[in-house]
Amino acid sequence: MTPTPDPQEKTTMELGAYSFGDTQRDADGTLRSTSEAITNLFDAIVHADKAGLDYFAVGEHHTFEMPASSPGAMIAAAAGATTQIRLGSGVSVISTDDPVRVFQQFATADAISGGRIEITAGRGSSVESFPLFGYDLRDYDRLYEEKLDLLMRINASERVTWHGTVRPELDDLPVVPRPLNGSLPIWLGTGGSAPSSARAGRLGLPISYGIIGGAPHRFAPLAELYRASAAKAGHTGSAIKVSVAALGLVAPTKSEALERFYPGWRNLNASMAELRGWATPSDDDYYAQAHAPGAYYVGDPDDVAERIVHLHGYMGHMRHFLQMDLGGLSQEHLLESLTLLATEVKPRVERLLAKA
């Protein structure tokens, strides 16, 4: 089954990056300071804005390796230091946060930025926030469903009445400040769940797919399910759109990109295997994913552009953004990759889409 994207999406594509923060390592592999990681992330966002990227997202994580635990704070700081780039979360773990505070933080950043702020609400790819904030994993689904509902109600109205089971009720209370344009774009973030795809369509929310393994085009039926669910619920127009978040790195040559991305990939997978009991992937797994049709967009500008456009033929997505800084990638290589994505990959993508 192939998707039937909006005609406008066939000729437009936003490019960007996302990060959970990336703590640098010394030569012996020892982690350096998390404060340095936060400073590096801020500098990367400012650099991406100057380079001409369309979008930068900060994802919520709570580990020493990925310490960007407060997307709202980072987005607000970046809002005042940038002029063009759209900024958002990728994702805000809405299940273990308070939707009122999330909305207020991002609406504050929206005012500072002049209306460039978005929220992507998700369950998160890790569960560290549950014990940190005192939530029970057995309430996983209920927390997400109720808090997403509250976030949407806050976004729709200045005064909110809401009753649920996971936080105190609200009885005609104001939630301020309000976004510059009346409401914030709220995306639903998912790692590839069919129920989440259907939910986003049913609610009329744009959807962001995190694709970190396998063949990306296997997500095409989920995008089709999303659009079909939206149409069935009567949702049409510009809010029904798809974005893709993936791993990747751009370098002047494919061999340089593979060489630069590999150590961080290895470090990340080794730490995740130890933390969560996963099997450590092999080098063959890395190279399989870093070449078409794998999920890692690691290559030179031509390679990365061609693979983004190839996936667009299946997904019809309007935004593609990459996590580049993982496992201790050098700041120098991160900034170069951001520049190449904006100045070399983006015009190639535009030319290829114009020919499609």
Side-chain angles (χ1 to χ4, degrees):
M1 180 167 53
T2 56
T4 53
D6 185 283
Q8 183 181 6
E9 294 183 15
K10 294 180 180 179
T11 57
T12 61
M13 175 70 69
E14 295 180 3
L15 295 185
Y18 72 102
S19 174
F20 303 122
D22 183 38
T23 304
Q24 299 289 296
R25 294 172 180 264
D26 291 327
D28 62 359
T30 303
L31 287 172
R32 289 158 64 174
S33 74
T34 52
S35 61
E36 179 189 34
I38 295 301
T39 300
N40 284 343
L41 174 55
F42 176 81
D43 291 343
I45 298 172
V46 174
H47 181 88
D49 178 57
K50 292 177 180 178
L53 277 181
D54 300 303
Y55 179 67
F56 205 112
V58 177
E60 179 182 345
H61 264 259
H62 300 268
T63 67
F64 284 104
E65 293 85 357
M66 294 179 284
S69 58
S70 182
M74 178 59 76
I75 293 301
T82 57
T83 59
Q84 301 294 327
I85 196 167
R86 293 196 65 80
L87 303 168
S89 55
V91 301
S92 294
V93 184
I94 199 69
S95 306
T96 54
D97 210 336
D98 183 353
V100 175
R101 292 302 284 159
V102 170
F103 181 86
Q104 291 173 326
Q105 290 163 2
F106 281 78
T108 298
D110 191 66
I112 295 169
S113 75
R116 293 183 282 119
I117 305 303
E118 304 177 357
I119 299 173
T120 299
R123 303 170 190 265
S125 60
S126 61
V127 296
E128 286 84 5
S129 63
F130 279 79
L132 191 61
F133 298 114
Y135 289 99
D136 194 327
L137 272 172
R138 290 174 294 185
D139 297 326
Y140 188 82
D141 292 325
R142 180 163 59 97
L143 283 164
Y144 183 66
E145 182 175 359
E146 290 194 16
K147 290 192 174 185
L148 178 61
D149 175 64
L150 175 55
L151 181 64
M152 292 179 64
R153 291 198 188 197
I154 295 169
N155 198 39
S157 176
E158 294 181 358
R159 304 190 71 89
V160 182
T161 297
W162 180 88
H163 305 278
T165 65
V166 297
R167 76 173 311 281
E169 65 183 39
L170 300 176
D171 186 9
D172 193 31
L173 294 178
V175 179
V176 294
R178 303 306 301 178
L180 184 66
N181 297 314
S183 62
L184 293 172
I186 295 179
W187 295 68
L188 188 149
T190 175
S193 160
S196 291
S197 298
R199 186 204 304 267
R202 186 173 66 252
L203 295 175
L205 297 177
I207 192 165
S208 182
Y209 289 105
I211 305 178
I212 59 173
H217 63 264
R218 66 187 172 88
F219 278 68
L222 294 174
E224 181 68 16
L225 172 63
Y226 162 69
R227 292 186 172 97
S229 299
K232 183 177 181 180
H235 299 298
T236 59
S238 61
I240 305 306
K241 54 191 174 185
V242 173
S243 72
V244 169
L247 304 180
L249 188 74
V250 190
T253 67
K254 177 82 171 183
S255 60
E256 287 175 297
L258 290 169
E259 181 180 353
R260 294 174 182 181
F261 199 66
Y262 173 77
W265 173 87
R266 182 191 60 212
N267 289 336
L268 176 65
N269 279 282
S271 63
M272 289 297 100
E274 181 179 354
L275 180 65
R276 299 180 188 168
W278 296 349
T280 303
S282 68
D283 288 359
D284 287 342
D285 294 324
Y286 171 71
Y287 289 107
Q289 288 296 306
H291 293 280
Y296 304 163
Y297 291 79
V298 178
D300 59 66
D302 284 321
D303 178 48
V304 173
E306 289 167 5
R307 294 181 62 199
I308 289 173
V309 173
H310 177 264
L311 181 62
H312 180 269
Y314 288 91
M315 299 286 290
H317 59 306
M318 52 72 64
R319 175 185 290 164
H320 197 108
F321 55 118
L322 301 177
Q323 183 186 5
M324 304 171 178
D325 60 336
L326 52 85
L329 179 75
S330 75
Q331 185 75 350
E332 175 190 1
H333 290 158
L334 170 61
L335 298 184
E336 182 181 29
S337 182
L338 292 169
T339 298
L340 290 171
L341 187 64
T343 63
E344 298 293 336
V345 176
K346 185 176 177 179
R348 285 167 167 80
V349 168
E350 291 172 349
R351 287 196 296 268
L352 290 169
L353 287 175
K355 295 177 182 179

